[in-house]
């Protein structure tokens, strides 16, 4: 007879399993503790982080606190003050409700809690480690709660091993905190990391809170959005189309005071910007929804960031219409009245006759005449030379071209397999300020001039970074870059690499830097924008590997400094660009995999003419 094999897990093991869903990293602890403080009615919250949360996370609030019994019971699984029946799940107005957060934190860390209610003279101190109660006693402490979480994942070494670098983990903490402070401008927040204050956010209006987190530069970019219907109330801000960028932007959705991730609604916002911003670019938005709690379900994901709406399609239409209305109302092209002499606008007179304008033209002009009057005032129209042979006088014969190409192209065959390399003797032509055309052995080569310059500059900047060759030039008036706490944590890790390119950034404290020097070759570009583009690219792609950061910085700088489409190039500039392109390690593609050049084969050109003759 076989013994039973199914048994109940011990609470400590069950809590660790639950912690794997709820507590994924230090940022998860900060999120849960701050949400508890907000639910407790706190209007002043301090967050103190040590070593990006590995060593310590402390959250102090001035909320209503807990009794001795509630303090102990709060660490039990599914112990909550917000749910009495299943129906309560559809009438939620609080951040946390499952009763898993504190139990999950206590299962994988050492936790100390001090808490007191206003009506009590003494508070309670509880110490728990690995779900095991170690001490409970009465102490003297301020009103509110003080959670101190130490040695996160001390009893789950595998989880601790897979934590990212301190820079990455602290960035995640800042991003998690930003999602909460942006929806609670009526609460004062303070964030310290290793005893340095990174956030000091007083009670302000919503717009001022957004600027306090993401910088005052946004003030000129934000447009207010508002829609009030029986189904949903929408408020917040969207950015002007001219503020669009390819790099990192600030995109936030909030519903009933809770941050949410919603790709479907994101498409509604971006669709409203169709034809207003270039393809592939993004815009910032801070949009707040107010919906009846019974019409949403926040209980579909452990972190409660993915939310299901009952009337998603209708809300989609309302959101898209609200954004379009805002853009139509505020996005009026600016009229420049800054001129030396303002035009004279005559006063309106009711009975005054308005004389129609007169049109002056040359009645004798005939564009088809070869001789005669009327060609822009001259007595004789110019004759067109038909001596076409001179156009090909310097063009080598096909056999000579093939011979020259075969001899000279051999050193680059490994770089451009099955392709020909053009030479200045073949001649170049620029098409629409975008493409460079030249004949090669097998046909016609087309080169994208912008992408070619990106490849050339990329290799130059990358080599400069690796060799720490600083070619910097000072600026007359230094510009200031203001960074958020999350941005500043990444900036500190890549500051040396940015300096190696040629930027001179002087820390001013509080996440501010003065740009006092820039690399050669980026004249006409905004140094602040270039620095922010490099920073945001590193934040998006990750910067744990130094070589990858070097590539990201070099590519961002190359894109910013490369010649733009529509720029007319002289023959000498075209020759110089193509020579540098074919001296690159990989002239075929840009660093991010875009095609730089292509060849239309001679046979394909012949087919086009044969098809034309048949038609």
């Amino acid at each position: 007879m076989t013994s039973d094999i199914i048994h109940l897990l011990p609470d400590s093991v069950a809590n660790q399993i639950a912690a794997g869903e709820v507590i994924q990293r230090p940022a998860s602890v900060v999120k849960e503790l701050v949400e508890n403080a907000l639910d407790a009615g706190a209007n002043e919250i301090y967050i103190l982080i040590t070593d990006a949360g590995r060593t310590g996370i402390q959250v102090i609030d001035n909320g209503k606190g807990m009794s001795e019994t509630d303090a102990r019971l709060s660490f039990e699984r599914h112990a909550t003050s917000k749910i009495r029946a299943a129906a309560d799940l559809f009438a939620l107005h609080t951040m946390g409700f499952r009763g898993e957060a504190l139990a999950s934190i206590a299962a994988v860390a050492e936790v100390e809690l001090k808490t007191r209610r206003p009506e009590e003279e003494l508070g309670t101190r509880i110490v728990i480690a690995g779900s095991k109660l170690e001490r409970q006693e009465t102490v003297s402490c301020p009103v509110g709660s003080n959670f101190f979480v130490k040695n996160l994942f001390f009893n789950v070494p595998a989880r601790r091993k897979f934590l990212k670098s301190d820079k990455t983990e602290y960035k995640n903490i800042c991003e998690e905190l930003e999602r909460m402070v942006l929806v609670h401008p009526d609460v004062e927040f303070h964030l310290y990391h290793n005893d340095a204050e990174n956030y000091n956010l007083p009670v302000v209006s919503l717009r001022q809170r957004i600027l306090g987190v993401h910088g005052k530069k946004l003030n000129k970019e934000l447009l207010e959005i508002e829609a009030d219907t029986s189904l949903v109330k929408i408020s917040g801000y969207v950015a002007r189309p001219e503020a669009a960028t390819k790099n990192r932007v600030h995109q936030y959705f909030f519903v009933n005071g809770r941050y949410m991730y919603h790709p479907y609604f994101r498409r509604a916002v971006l669709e409203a910007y169709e034809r207003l911003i270039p393809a592939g670019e993004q815009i910032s938005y801070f949009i707040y929804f107010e919906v009846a709690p019974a019409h949403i379900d926040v209980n579909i994901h452990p972190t409660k960031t993915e939310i299901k709406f009952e009337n998603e399609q209708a809300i989609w239409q309302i959101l898209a219409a609200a954004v379009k209305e805002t853009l139509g109302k505020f996005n009026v092209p600016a009229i420049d009245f800054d001129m030396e002499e303002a035009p004279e606008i005559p006063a309106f007179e009711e009975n005054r006759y308005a004389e129609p304008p007169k049109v002056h033209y040359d009645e004798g002009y005939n564009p088809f005449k070869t001789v005669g009057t009327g060609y822009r005032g001259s007595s004789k129209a110019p004759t067109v030379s038909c001596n076409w042979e001179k156009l090909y006088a310097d063009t080598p014969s096909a056999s000579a071209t093939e011979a020259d190409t075969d001899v000279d192209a051999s050193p680059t065959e490994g770089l451009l397999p099955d392709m020909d390399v053009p030479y200045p003797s073949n001649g170049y032509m620029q098409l629409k300020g975008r493409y460079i055309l030249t004949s090669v052995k097998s046909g016609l080569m087309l080169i994208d001039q912008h992408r070619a310059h990106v490849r050339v500059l990329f290799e130059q900047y990358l080599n400069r970074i690796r060799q720490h060759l600083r070619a910097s030039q000072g600026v007359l008036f230094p510009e200031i870059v203001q960074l958020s706490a999350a941005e500043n944590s990444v900036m500190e890790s890549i500051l040396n690499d940015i300096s190696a390119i040629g930027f001179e950034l002087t820390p001013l404290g509080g996440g501010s830097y003065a740009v006092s020097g820039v690399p050669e070759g980026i004249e006409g570009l905004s140094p602040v924008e270039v620095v922010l583009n490099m920073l945001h690219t590193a934040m998006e792609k990750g910067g744990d590997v130094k070589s990858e950061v070097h590539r990201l910085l070099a590519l961002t700088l190359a894109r910013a400094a490369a010649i733009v489409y529509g720029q007319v190039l002289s023959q000498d500039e075209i020759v110089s660009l193509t020579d540098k392109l074919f001296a690159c390690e990989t002239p075929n593609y840009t660093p991010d995999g875009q095609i730089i050049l292509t060849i239309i084969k001679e046979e394909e050109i012949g087919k086009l003419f044969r098809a034309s003759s048949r038609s």
Side-chain angles (χ1 to χ4, degrees), residues 424-446:
S425 59
N426 292 4
Y428 294 97
M429 187 182 85
Q430 190 181 25
L431 176 63
K432 295 184 179 297
R434 185 182 184 100
Y435 304 107
I436 296 171
L437 281 63
T438 184
S439 63
V440 292
K441 180 175 68 173
S442 58
L444 179 66
M445 176 180 286
L446 290 84

Side-chain angles (χ1 to χ4, degrees), residues 119-332:
E119 62 270 24
E120 296 174 347
E121 294 184 0
L122 295 176
T124 303
R125 177 175 179 262
I126 293 178
V127 179
I128 295 180
S131 296
K132 181 181 178 181
L133 178 64
E134 294 188 348
R135 181 175 299 179
Q136 180 172 344
E137 58 188 2
T138 301
V139 296
S140 176
C141 62
V143 172
S145 297
N146 183 341
F147 284 92
F148 189 15
V149 179
K150 298 183 289 185
N151 300 326
L152 186 62
F153 301 131
F154 79 99
N155 55 350
V156 193
R159 294 284 302 279
R160 190 176 180 91
K161 177 182 177 182
F162 281 98
L163 290 178
K164 303 297 184 181
S165 67
D166 283 2
K167 176 205 69 180
T168 301
E169 295 299 342
Y170 183 65
K171 176 178 72 72
N172 291 331
I173 290 174
C174 293
E175 290 178 347
E176 200 67 66
L177 185 62
E178 286 170 2
R179 296 171 179 176
M180 292 181 282
V181 303
L182 288 175
V183 82
H184 291 283
D186 56 336
V187 178
E188 182 177 339
F189 289 89
H190 299 266
L191 173 64
Y192 293 82
H193 185 220
N194 294 336
D195 298 327
E197 187 177 38
N198 290 335
Y199 272 141
N200 184 346
L201 301 173
V203 175
V204 289
S205 65
L206 176 59
R207 189 184 189 102
Q208 290 299 319
R209 175 57 58 88
I210 293 173
L211 301 181
V213 173
H214 292 298
K216 295 182 179 179
K217 190 189 77 167
L218 275 177
N219 193 36
K220 297 183 293 185
E221 301 176 2
L222 296 181
L223 303 175
E224 189 171 0
I225 178 175
E226 188 173 1
D228 194 352
T229 69
S230 59
L231 189 63
V232 61
K233 181 178 180 181
I234 299 175
S235 60
Y237 301 91
V238 295
R240 296 179 181 273
E242 54 266 29
T245 176
K246 288 185 177 180
N247 291 304
R248 183 182 178 88
V249 289
H250 311 297
Q251 297 180 340
Y252 294 91
F253 283 129
F254 303 95
V255 58
N256 296 352
R258 182 191 307 276
Y259 170 80
M260 70 172 177
Y261 172 74
H262 211 294
Y264 184 56
F265 288 165
R266 178 176 178 273
R267 288 200 302 271
V269 175
L270 295 181
E271 204 167 284
Y273 283 82
E274 192 175 7
R275 300 181 183 177
L276 294 178
I277 63 176
E281 294 199 353
Q282 302 290 324
I283 52 91
S284 297
Y285 55 77
F286 305 82
I287 300 178
Y288 299 77
F289 299 82
E290 289 185 26
V291 186
H295 294 162
I296 61 174
D297 184 4
V298 302
N299 197 32
I300 63 174
H301 191 271
T303 60
K304 303 186 284 289
T305 57
E306 297 180 16
I307 296 175
K308 181 67 176 176
F309 285 74
E310 184 178 324
N311 303 294
E312 281 192 344
Q313 292 185 347
I315 294 177
W316 194 99
Q317 298 288 346
I318 296 171
L319 174 61
V323 176
K324 289 179 181 178
E325 181 185 6
T326 295
L327 295 177
K329 187 186 303 181
F330 293 100
N331 189 37
V332 180

Side-chain angles (χ1 to χ4, degrees), residues 480-549:
I480 305 299
V481 182
Q482 180 66 48
L483 306 178
S484 67
E487 292 171 331
N488 192 42
S489 66
V490 178
M491 173 61 80
E492 291 174 351
S493 66
I494 64 173
L495 189 57
N496 290 336
D497 295 326
I498 292 182
S499 299
I501 301 175
F503 281 97
E504 294 181 5
L505 301 182
T506 305
L508 302 178
S512 297
Y513 295 83
V515 184
S516 53
V518 297
E520 296 177 353
I522 67 165
E523 293 79 6
L525 300 174
S526 168
V528 171
E529 291 298 326
V530 174
V531 170
L532 288 176
N533 285 342
M534 289 189 292
L535 173 63
H536 293 159
T537 303
M539 293 179 72
E540 288 178 351
K541 304 295 183 180
D544 291 338
V545 182
K546 190 172 183 179
S547 60
E548 181 65 18
V549 175

Side-chain angles (χ1 to χ4, degrees), residues 33 37 40 57-68 70-72 74-75 102 110-117 120 122-128 135-150:
L33 295 181
I57 299 172
Q58 189 171 12
V59 175
I60 307 170
D61 68 70
N62 64 347
K64 59 186 177 183
M66 290 181 280
S67 67
E68 181 178 0
D70 287 346
R72 175 65 190 92
S74 66
F75 287 97
L102 294 183
E110 300 172 3
V111 182
E112 178 184 354
L113 166 63
K114 294 180 182 178
T115 182
R116 180 169 74 89
R117 295 190 297 181
E120 296 174 347
L122 295 176
T124 303
R125 177 175 179 262
I126 293 178
V127 179
I128 295 180
R135 181 175 299 179
Q136 180 172 344
E137 58 188 2
T138 301
V139 296
S140 176
C141 62
V143 172
S145 297
N146 183 341
F147 284 92
F148 189 15
V149 179
K150 298 183 289 185

Side-chain angles (χ1 to χ4, degrees), residues 90-108:
F90 301 98
L92 291 168
H93 294 275
T94 57
M95 304 294 288
F97 55 86
R98 292 183 184 146
E100 289 182 327
L102 294 183
S104 298
I105 294 171
V108 293

